[in-house]
Amino acid sequence: MERLQIALEKARASRKDGTAPAGTRISAGAASRGSYGKEAAWEALTALDVDERALARKRVLAVSGGSEAAPYDLLRTRVMQQIREQGWRRVAVVSPNASAGKTTTVANLSFALGRQDDFRTITLDFDLRRPALGKVLGQASAHNMADVVRGKVEFADHARRLGANLAFGLNNMAVTQSSELLQSRQTVDILEQIEDSYAPDLMLFDMPPLHGADDSFGFLHQVDAALIIVEAEKTSIAQIDVVERQVAESTNVMGVVLNKCNYARGAYGANYGYGYY
C-alpha cells in the first residue's frame, strides 16, 4: 500500500509539471498524436441528442444555462478553480447512501462544464451495480462501460458527444463483479487510453454510494479528488465526518455538496437550493 501511495503521489505531481515520473509508461500513441488528432477523435464521437424538457422533469436544468442552472454553474466554477490550482484531472462523485441526488448532480455539473467552451469533460458512469446516468439523461445504449473496460467495444464507438467538448460513457445494464472490475488493471489501462486519445481537462466519475459496497473504495485510488454529495435533513454531521475521513484515506476531498436543501430556496434564482462547503 505504501508503494502504491508513493506511485500515486508521483503521478499527481507529474500532472502538475507536465513531466512523467520515473518508470511511467508513455504510449506511442500519446507521443505521436498532436492537437489535430485529438480534435478528430472528439469529432468522430457519435453526437448525443438531448430533450431539454424531458431533462427538466428529472431536475436536469443546466443544459442551456439560466437562473435555474446557477447553483450548478457555481459548483462548476469552484470545481474548475480547484482542479486548475491543484493540477487534478480525475474527480469522482460519491455519496454516503443512495437517493442523495448524486447522479442528478453529476448530470447537471457535466452540462454546466460543457458550456465552458475552452474546457473538455468526459463523464463516465462507473456505478456499475445500479447505473442511472443513462436513465437520467434519457439515453439508451447498446453497451456499457464494463464492455469498454473488458475490451469488447471501443470507447470511440460507445461514447456519446454533446457539442464539441462534453462526452458521456453510459451503461445499459448492471454488471456482475463490478468491484473487481473497477480495481482491475484493465480499468487503469482504459482510463489511460481515454486520456491519451481525448486529452480531457476533466474526467468525471459517477460512483456508487460508499456505504452500499466496496466499489468506490476500490476505485478512489485512481482519481485525484472526490466530491461528496450529501442529502439535507437526512445525512447527519456524524455521517459526513465519517465519509470525509473514509474518502481522505484514498484521495483528496474536493468538497461537500449539500443537496435538496429547502432552506436555500430562492438562492441564485433557483427553485431549490444547494449549499457547497
Side-chain angles (χ1 to χ4, degrees), residues 68-224:
E68 291 185 320
Y72 300 107
D73 291 349
L74 174 62
L75 179 59
R76 170 196 63 191
T77 299
R78 296 200 176 183
V79 167
M80 291 176 63
Q81 287 173 344
Q82 287 201 52
I83 66 173
R84 284 170 171 168
E85 290 172 0
Q86 302 295 333
W88 294 338
R89 289 293 180 268
R90 299 179 183 179
V91 174
V93 182
V94 300
S95 62
N97 302 295
S99 303
K102 171 181 56 65
T103 298
T104 302
T105 300
V106 168
N108 277 294
L109 176 58
S110 297
F111 286 125
L113 288 163
R115 287 188 280 105
Q116 193 72 32
D117 292 338
D118 59 346
F119 192 91
R120 282 181 169 165
T121 305
I122 293 179
T123 298
L124 304 179
D125 187 355
F126 265 26
D127 189 343
L128 302 179
R129 289 179 185 264
R130 297 181 62 182
L133 187 57
K135 294 179 181 178
V136 168
L137 298 180
Q139 302 295 321
S141 178
H143 303 281
N144 54 55
M145 285 304 301
D147 293 329
V148 175
V149 171
R150 290 169 175 154
K152 295 181 179 180
V153 61
E154 294 290 332
F155 181 76
D157 298 324
H158 175 66
R160 296 295 180 266
R161 171 180 54 80
L162 183 67
N165 60 332
L166 174 61
F168 291 95
L170 306 174
N171 296 310
N172 61 349
M173 64 178 69
V175 302
T176 59
Q177 296 184 316
S178 57
S179 176
E180 292 83 358
L181 185 62
L182 289 175
Q183 298 182 62
S184 70
R185 181 66 205 181
Q186 291 172 296
T187 296
V188 174
D189 290 342
I190 195 64
L191 294 182
E192 290 178 352
Q193 291 172 23
I194 292 172
E195 288 180 328
D196 285 350
S197 298
Y198 300 93
D201 296 286
L202 174 64
M203 293 184 74
L204 196 64
F205 301 89
D206 185 11
M207 301 302 302
L210 290 168
H211 295 162
D214 66 330
D215 296 38
S216 291
F217 289 114
F219 178 75
L220 285 178
H221 288 289
Q222 302 299 332
V223 302
D224 299 306

Side-chain angles (χ1 to χ4, degrees), residues 33 39 52 61 66 87-88 92 94 165 172 213-214 217 228 235 258:
R33 278 189 294 267
E39 293 284 349
E52 290 194 43
L61 308 167
W88 294 338
V94 300
N165 60 332
N172 61 349
D214 66 330
F217 289 114
I228 302 170
T235 309
L258 180 63

